[in-house]
Amino acid sequence: MAETKPAIKTPPNAVKFLFGGLAGMGATCFVQPLDLIKNRMQMAGQGGGAAPSFMATLTGVVRSEGPLAVYNGLSAGLLRQATYTTTRLGVYNTLFQHFSTDGQPPPFSYKVVIGLAAGATGAVVGTPAEVALIRMSSDGSLPAAERRGYTGVGNALTRIAKEEGVATLWRGCAPTVARAMVLNATQLASYSEAKQAIKRRTDMPDGVKLHFCASMISGLLTTLASMPVDIVKTRIQNMKVVNGVPEYKVWESHTADLERLTVRCTCPQNGLDVLTKIVAKEGFFSLWKGFVPYYSRLGPHTVLTFIFLEQLNQAYQRFAV
Protein backbone atom coordinates (compact mmCIF):
# COMPACT_ATOMS: atom_id res chain seq x y z
CA MET A 1 0.00 0.00 0.00
CA ALA A 2 1.37 3.41 -1.01
CA GLU A 3 2.49 5.57 1.84
CA THR A 4 0.43 8.72 2.26
CA LYS A 5 2.51 11.90 2.24
CA PRO A 6 1.77 14.32 5.06
CA ALA A 7 -0.27 17.33 3.98
CA ILE A 8 1.73 20.48 3.39
CA LYS A 9 0.87 23.14 5.93
CA THR A 10 0.35 26.50 4.20
CA PRO A 11 1.38 29.44 6.38
CA PRO A 12 -1.31 32.08 6.88
CA ASN A 13 -0.85 35.32 4.97
CA ALA A 14 0.42 37.22 8.02
CA VAL A 15 3.19 34.64 8.49
CA LYS A 16 4.13 34.86 4.79
CA PHE A 17 4.57 38.62 5.14
CA LEU A 18 6.61 38.16 8.35
CA PHE A 19 8.88 35.53 6.79
CA GLY A 20 9.49 37.78 3.75
CA GLY A 21 10.60 40.69 5.93
CA LEU A 22 12.80 38.57 8.20
CA ALA A 23 14.49 36.93 5.21
CA GLY A 24 15.25 40.30 3.60
CA MET A 25 16.53 41.85 6.84
CA GLY A 26 18.82 38.88 7.49
CA ALA A 27 20.29 39.17 3.98
CA THR A 28 20.79 42.95 4.32
CA CYS A 29 23.03 42.51 7.36
CA PHE A 30 25.51 40.72 5.08
CA VAL A 31 25.33 42.86 1.92
CA GLN A 32 24.88 46.43 3.20
CA PRO A 33 28.54 47.37 2.38
CA LEU A 34 27.94 46.42 -1.27
CA ASP A 35 24.79 48.54 -1.36
CA LEU A 36 26.74 51.53 -0.07
CA ILE A 37 29.50 51.08 -2.68
CA LYS A 38 26.89 50.73 -5.44
CA ASN A 39 25.20 54.00 -4.38
CA ARG A 40 28.54 55.83 -4.21
CA MET A 41 29.50 54.64 -7.70
CA GLN A 42 26.13 55.65 -9.15
CA MET A 43 26.50 59.14 -7.70
CA ALA A 44 30.07 59.53 -9.01
CA GLY A 45 30.90 61.09 -12.37
CA GLN A 46 27.75 63.23 -12.62
CA GLY A 47 29.71 65.98 -14.34
CA GLY A 48 30.89 63.61 -17.02
CA GLY A 49 34.14 62.48 -15.37
CA ALA A 50 35.13 58.84 -15.13
CA ALA A 51 33.58 56.98 -12.22
CA PRO A 52 35.96 55.20 -9.83
CA SER A 53 36.15 51.42 -9.88
CA PHE A 54 34.62 49.14 -7.27
CA MET A 55 37.91 48.66 -5.41
CA ALA A 56 38.82 52.36 -5.63
CA THR A 57 35.45 53.32 -4.15
CA LEU A 58 35.71 50.72 -1.39
CA THR A 59 39.25 51.65 -0.37
CA GLY A 60 38.37 55.35 -0.55
CA VAL A 61 35.47 54.89 1.86
CA VAL A 62 37.54 52.84 4.32
CA ARG A 63 40.54 55.20 4.14
CA SER A 64 38.60 58.47 4.55
CA GLU A 65 35.69 57.39 6.78
CA GLY A 66 36.86 54.26 8.57
CA PRO A 67 36.05 50.56 8.09
CA LEU A 68 32.67 50.78 9.84
CA ALA A 69 31.54 53.44 7.36
CA VAL A 70 30.63 50.68 4.90
CA TYR A 71 27.64 50.03 7.18
CA ASN A 72 26.39 53.63 7.03
CA GLY A 73 22.66 53.51 6.36
CA LEU A 74 22.19 50.01 7.79
CA SER A 75 19.21 51.13 9.89
CA ALA A 76 17.54 52.51 6.75
CA GLY A 77 18.40 49.31 4.87
CA LEU A 78 16.74 47.21 7.56
CA LEU A 79 13.66 49.46 7.54
CA ARG A 80 13.50 49.14 3.75
CA GLN A 81 13.47 45.37 4.08
CA ALA A 82 10.90 45.51 6.89
CA THR A 83 8.58 47.54 4.64
CA TYR A 84 9.45 46.84 1.01
CA THR A 85 10.52 43.19 1.19
CA THR A 86 7.87 42.23 3.73
CA THR A 87 5.22 43.60 1.40
CA ARG A 88 6.57 42.33 -1.93
CA LEU A 89 7.38 38.78 -0.83
CA GLY A 90 4.16 38.57 1.17
CA VAL A 91 2.08 39.70 -1.81
CA TYR A 92 4.04 37.46 -4.20
CA ASN A 93 3.71 34.33 -2.07
CA THR A 94 0.02 34.99 -1.39
CA LEU A 95 -0.78 35.47 -5.10
CA PHE A 96 1.50 32.57 -6.08
CA GLN A 97 -0.42 30.25 -3.77
CA HIS A 98 -3.76 31.62 -4.99
CA PHE A 99 -2.99 30.91 -8.66
CA SER A 100 -1.43 27.48 -8.05
CA THR A 101 -3.76 24.58 -8.92
CA ASP A 102 -3.59 21.04 -7.58
CA GLY A 103 -0.15 21.64 -6.15
CA GLN A 104 1.22 22.84 -9.51
CA PRO A 105 2.78 26.32 -9.72
CA PRO A 106 1.19 28.93 -12.02
CA PRO A 107 2.59 29.33 -15.57
CA PHE A 108 5.52 31.67 -16.21
CA SER A 109 3.32 34.48 -17.56
CA TYR A 110 1.36 34.47 -14.29
CA LYS A 111 4.60 34.60 -12.31
CA VAL A 112 5.67 37.72 -14.24
CA VAL A 113 2.36 39.50 -13.58
CA ILE A 114 2.43 38.47 -9.92
CA GLY A 115 6.00 39.80 -9.67
CA LEU A 116 4.97 43.13 -11.19
CA ALA A 117 2.09 43.53 -8.76
CA ALA A 118 4.21 42.55 -5.75
CA GLY A 119 7.05 44.90 -6.73
CA ALA A 120 4.81 47.91 -7.31
CA THR A 121 2.99 47.44 -4.01
CA GLY A 122 6.21 46.98 -2.04
CA ALA A 123 7.86 50.01 -3.67
CA VAL A 124 5.11 52.43 -2.66
CA VAL A 125 5.30 51.21 0.94
CA GLY A 126 9.11 51.21 1.04
CA THR A 127 9.99 54.47 -0.77
CA PRO A 128 10.53 56.59 2.42
CA ALA A 129 13.07 54.08 3.72
CA GLU A 130 14.66 53.98 0.24
CA VAL A 131 15.11 57.77 0.21
CA ALA A 132 16.69 57.66 3.68
CA LEU A 133 19.01 54.80 2.63
CA ILE A 134 20.23 56.55 -0.53
CA ARG A 135 20.98 59.76 1.37
CA MET A 136 22.63 58.10 4.37
CA SER A 137 24.86 55.85 2.28
CA SER A 138 25.87 58.69 -0.07
CA ASP A 139 26.41 61.36 2.61
CA GLY A 140 30.09 60.61 3.19
CA SER A 141 30.93 61.31 -0.47
CA LEU A 142 29.73 64.94 -0.21
CA PRO A 143 31.89 67.89 0.85
CA ALA A 144 31.74 68.37 4.62
CA ALA A 145 29.66 71.55 4.33
CA GLU A 146 27.00 69.79 2.22
CA ARG A 147 26.58 66.64 4.30
CA ARG A 148 23.19 66.11 5.85
CA GLY A 149 24.55 64.27 8.89
CA TYR A 150 21.59 62.03 9.63
CA THR A 151 22.17 60.07 12.84
CA GLY A 152 19.83 57.20 11.98
CA VAL A 153 16.82 56.30 9.88
CA GLY A 154 14.39 57.85 12.37
CA ASN A 155 16.33 61.12 12.34
CA ALA A 156 16.52 61.04 8.54
CA LEU A 157 12.79 60.52 8.04
CA THR A 158 11.88 63.17 10.62
CA ARG A 159 14.25 65.78 9.21
CA ILE A 160 13.28 65.13 5.59
CA ALA A 161 9.61 65.60 6.44
CA LYS A 162 10.28 68.71 8.53
CA GLU A 163 12.86 70.43 6.29
CA GLU A 164 11.64 69.44 2.82
CA GLY A 165 8.02 68.40 3.26
CA VAL A 166 6.35 65.04 3.79
CA ALA A 167 5.98 64.52 0.04
CA THR A 168 9.80 64.39 -0.26
CA LEU A 169 9.70 61.02 1.51
CA TRP A 170 8.13 59.71 -1.70
CA ARG A 171 10.56 61.55 -4.01
CA GLY A 172 11.43 59.26 -6.88
CA CYS A 173 8.45 57.02 -6.12
CA ALA A 174 7.69 56.59 -9.84
CA PRO A 175 11.17 55.27 -10.80
CA THR A 176 11.24 53.27 -7.54
CA VAL A 177 7.98 51.58 -8.55
CA ALA A 178 9.28 51.09 -12.11
CA ARG A 179 12.52 49.56 -10.84
CA ALA A 180 10.67 47.35 -8.38
CA MET A 181 8.30 46.10 -11.08
CA VAL A 182 11.21 45.28 -13.41
CA LEU A 183 13.27 43.80 -10.56
CA ASN A 184 10.50 41.67 -9.11
CA ALA A 185 9.08 40.49 -12.40
CA THR A 186 12.60 39.35 -13.34
CA GLN A 187 13.86 38.20 -9.94
CA LEU A 188 10.88 36.34 -8.53
CA ALA A 189 9.74 34.81 -11.81
CA SER A 190 13.26 33.85 -12.96
CA TYR A 191 14.08 32.35 -9.55
CA SER A 192 11.03 30.07 -9.68
CA GLU A 193 11.70 29.22 -13.33
CA ALA A 194 15.44 28.58 -12.78
CA LYS A 195 14.73 26.41 -9.75
CA GLN A 196 12.24 24.27 -11.70
CA ALA A 197 14.55 24.06 -14.75
CA ILE A 198 17.52 22.89 -12.65
CA LYS A 199 15.35 20.26 -10.94
CA ARG A 200 14.08 19.00 -14.31
CA ARG A 201 17.54 18.77 -15.90
CA THR A 202 19.60 17.52 -12.96
CA ASP A 203 19.24 15.25 -9.97
CA MET A 204 20.04 18.13 -7.61
CA PRO A 205 17.92 17.75 -4.45
CA ASP A 206 15.83 20.60 -3.11
CA GLY A 207 18.21 22.27 -0.68
CA VAL A 208 20.66 25.11 -0.15
CA LYS A 209 22.75 24.20 -3.23
CA LEU A 210 19.70 24.34 -5.52
CA HIS A 211 18.53 27.62 -3.94
CA PHE A 212 22.03 29.08 -4.43
CA CYS A 213 22.25 28.17 -8.13
CA ALA A 214 18.74 29.42 -8.91
CA SER A 215 19.38 32.65 -6.99
CA MET A 216 22.64 33.44 -8.82
CA ILE A 217 20.97 32.97 -12.21
CA SER A 218 18.05 35.12 -11.07
CA GLY A 219 20.40 37.78 -9.68
CA LEU A 220 22.32 38.13 -12.97
CA LEU A 221 19.18 38.55 -15.08
CA THR A 222 17.73 40.98 -12.57
CA THR A 223 20.89 43.11 -12.52
CA LEU A 224 20.94 43.49 -16.30
CA ALA A 225 17.25 44.40 -16.46
CA SER A 226 16.92 46.78 -13.51
CA MET A 227 20.15 48.82 -13.34
CA PRO A 228 19.15 51.63 -15.78
CA VAL A 229 16.03 52.36 -13.74
CA ASP A 230 17.95 52.03 -10.48
CA ILE A 231 20.51 54.72 -11.35
CA VAL A 232 17.69 57.13 -12.28
CA LYS A 233 16.02 56.43 -8.93
CA THR A 234 19.30 56.95 -7.04
CA ARG A 235 20.05 60.30 -8.72
CA ILE A 236 16.54 61.64 -8.08
CA GLN A 237 16.37 60.58 -4.44
CA ASN A 238 19.77 62.08 -3.64
CA MET A 239 19.37 65.32 -5.62
CA LYS A 240 19.53 68.70 -3.94
CA VAL A 241 17.27 71.69 -4.57
CA VAL A 242 19.37 74.89 -4.60
CA ASN A 243 17.50 78.21 -4.37
CA GLY A 244 14.32 76.44 -5.35
CA VAL A 245 15.89 74.94 -8.47
CA PRO A 246 16.18 71.11 -8.60
CA GLU A 247 19.02 69.38 -10.41
CA TYR A 248 16.56 67.63 -12.70
CA LYS A 249 13.29 68.75 -14.26
CA VAL A 250 10.07 68.24 -12.33
CA TRP A 251 6.61 68.05 -13.78
CA GLU A 252 4.95 70.37 -11.28
CA SER A 253 5.52 71.94 -7.86
CA HIS A 254 3.17 73.47 -5.31
CA THR A 255 3.78 75.22 -1.99
CA ALA A 256 1.12 76.09 0.56
CA ASP A 257 1.34 77.80 3.95
CA LEU A 258 -1.49 76.63 6.18
CA GLU A 259 -1.32 78.68 9.40
CA ARG A 260 2.46 78.40 9.86
CA LEU A 261 2.55 74.79 8.58
CA THR A 262 4.37 74.82 5.27
CA VAL A 263 3.44 72.01 2.94
CA ARG A 264 5.58 71.47 -0.13
CA CYS A 265 4.44 69.04 -2.76
CA THR A 266 6.62 68.29 -5.74
CA CYS A 267 5.21 65.91 -8.27
CA PRO A 268 7.38 63.00 -9.44
CA GLN A 269 10.63 63.99 -11.08
CA ASN A 270 10.98 63.53 -14.81
CA GLY A 271 12.86 60.25 -15.02
CA LEU A 272 13.34 60.70 -18.76
CA ASP A 273 15.25 63.96 -18.14
CA VAL A 274 17.55 62.16 -15.71
CA LEU A 275 18.06 59.29 -18.13
CA THR A 276 18.90 61.51 -21.11
CA LYS A 277 21.33 63.65 -19.07
CA ILE A 278 23.16 60.57 -17.80
CA VAL A 279 23.52 59.15 -21.32
CA ALA A 280 24.52 62.54 -22.83
CA LYS A 281 27.12 63.44 -20.19
CA GLU A 282 28.40 60.05 -19.05
CA GLY A 283 27.72 57.65 -21.94
CA PHE A 284 25.17 54.90 -22.61
CA PHE A 285 26.94 52.22 -20.61
CA SER A 286 27.00 54.46 -17.54
CA LEU A 287 23.42 53.25 -17.04
CA TRP A 288 25.08 50.09 -15.74
CA LYS A 289 27.53 52.04 -13.58
CA GLY A 290 28.19 50.06 -10.42
CA PHE A 291 27.40 46.72 -12.11
CA VAL A 292 29.95 44.79 -10.05
CA PRO A 293 28.73 45.91 -6.60
CA TYR A 294 25.10 45.80 -7.79
CA TYR A 295 25.36 42.17 -8.87
CA SER A 296 27.73 41.37 -6.00
CA ARG A 297 25.01 42.71 -3.71
CA LEU A 298 21.93 41.50 -5.57
CA GLY A 299 23.24 38.00 -6.24
CA PRO A 300 24.13 37.22 -2.60
CA HIS A 301 21.11 39.18 -1.32
CA THR A 302 18.85 37.14 -3.59
CA VAL A 303 20.62 33.95 -2.52
CA LEU A 304 20.46 34.78 1.19
CA THR A 305 16.87 36.07 1.05
CA PHE A 306 15.54 32.97 -0.66
CA ILE A 307 17.66 30.64 1.48
CA PHE A 308 16.39 32.30 4.65
CA LEU A 309 12.85 32.25 3.26
CA GLU A 310 13.03 28.58 2.30
CA GLN A 311 14.47 27.70 5.71
CA LEU A 312 11.73 29.64 7.50
CA ASN A 313 9.08 27.88 5.41
CA GLN A 314 10.65 24.49 6.11
CA ALA A 315 10.81 25.30 9.82
CA TYR A 316 7.11 26.18 9.69
CA GLN A 317 6.37 22.80 8.08
CA ARG A 318 8.27 21.01 10.87
CA PHE A 319 7.02 22.94 13.86
CA ALA A 320 3.62 24.40 12.94
CA VAL A 321 0.77 22.88 14.89
Side-chain angles (χ1 to χ4, degrees):
M1 186 174 178
E3 202 174 294
T4 305
K5 291 184 179 179
I8 295 177
K9 306 180 187 76
T10 302
N13 290 340
V15 174
K16 292 177 184 176
F17 278 67
L18 175 64
F19 283 177
L22 289 174
M25 292 172 77
T28 293
C29 291
F30 290 90
V31 303
Q32 174 62 23
L34 295 168
D35 208 17
L36 181 137
I37 299 304
K38 183 268 295 183
N39 290 335
R40 294 286 180 94
M41 290 180 71
Q42 288 186 332
M43 292 305 301
Q46 291 189 73
S53 66
F54 171 77
M55 285 307 300
T57 305
L58 177 60
T59 54
V61 170
V62 173
R63 187 183 301 115
S64 61
E65 303 171 51
L68 293 181
V70 295
Y71 274 93
N72 285 348
L74 177 61
S75 60
L78 292 175
L79 180 62
R80 179 178 65 172
Q81 297 303 320
T83 52
Y84 168 65
T85 302
T86 297
T87 303
R88 77 180 180 102
L89 288 182
V91 169
Y92 184 84
N93 287 329
T94 300
L95 293 176
F96 190 94
Q97 187 69 34
H98 176 77
F99 288 106
S100 297
T101 54
D102 299 325
Q104 294 299 312
F108 183 74
S109 59
Y110 275 54
K111 293 175 188 173
V112 172
V113 174
I114 291 170
L116 289 170
T121 306
V124 173
V125 175
T127 295
E130 187 87 29
V131 172
L133 173 63
I134 294 298
R135 292 187 175 196
M136 291 175 70
S137 59
S138 301
D139 209 37
S141 63
L142 298 173
E146 297 179 18
R147 293 178 186 174
R148 297 176 173 104
Y150 300 132
T151 57
V153 65
N155 175 255
L157 295 175
T158 303
R159 282 182 51 193
I160 290 169
K162 183 178 178 181
E163 297 169 7
E164 304 174 55
V166 174
T168 306
L169 293 172
W170 276 269
R171 174 180 287 172
C173 186
T176 300
V177 169
R179 184 204 64 161
M181 292 175 72
V182 172
L183 189 147
N184 282 273
T186 309
Q187 183 187 59
L188 298 176
S190 63
Y191 174 79
S192 299
E193 200 69 18
K195 185 177 171 184
Q196 291 170 27
I198 293 171
K199 288 173 74 173
R200 283 196 305 268
R201 291 170 170 76
T202 69
D203 56 358
M204 191 181 296
D206 193 346
V208 172
K209 184 179 178 181
L210 174 61
H211 304 159
F212 176 83
C213 293
S215 295
M216 291 306 291
I217 294 171
S218 173
L220 177 60
L221 295 173
T222 303
T223 298
L224 292 170
S226 64
M227 276 207 75
V229 189
D230 186 73
I231 193 170
V232 171
K233 174 198 72 69
T234 299
R235 294 287 178 88
I236 287 175
Q237 290 177 331
N238 197 55
M239 81 170 186
K240 288 180 175 290
V241 178
V242 180
N243 296 324
V245 181
E247 291 180 61
Y248 302 105
K249 290 179 182 177
V250 296
W251 291 334
E252 194 176 355
S253 182
H254 300 289
T255 302
D257 193 341
L258 306 176
E259 295 182 359
R260 297 170 60 189
L261 174 63
T262 300
V263 179
R264 287 181 292 275
C265 179
T266 301
C267 292
Q269 280 67 31
N270 188 343
L272 184 60
D273 179 60
V274 182
L275 194 68
T276 53
K277 283 183 177 177
I278 291 172
V279 173
K281 293 181 179 180
E282 304 168 46
F284 177 74
F285 289 103
S286 65
L287 295 175
W288 285 271
K289 185 183 290 183
F291 180 90
V292 172
Y294 192 98
Y295 179 60
S296 298
R297 173 205 174 276
L298 187 61
H301 192 275
T302 303
V303 171
L304 291 168
T305 298
F306 282 116
I307 286 175
F308 287 150
L309 189 59
E310 297 273 9
Q311 298 308 308
L312 287 168
N313 284 326
Q314 289 177 15
Y316 183 87
Q317 296 300 318
R318 289 197 301 270
F319 302 114
V321 179

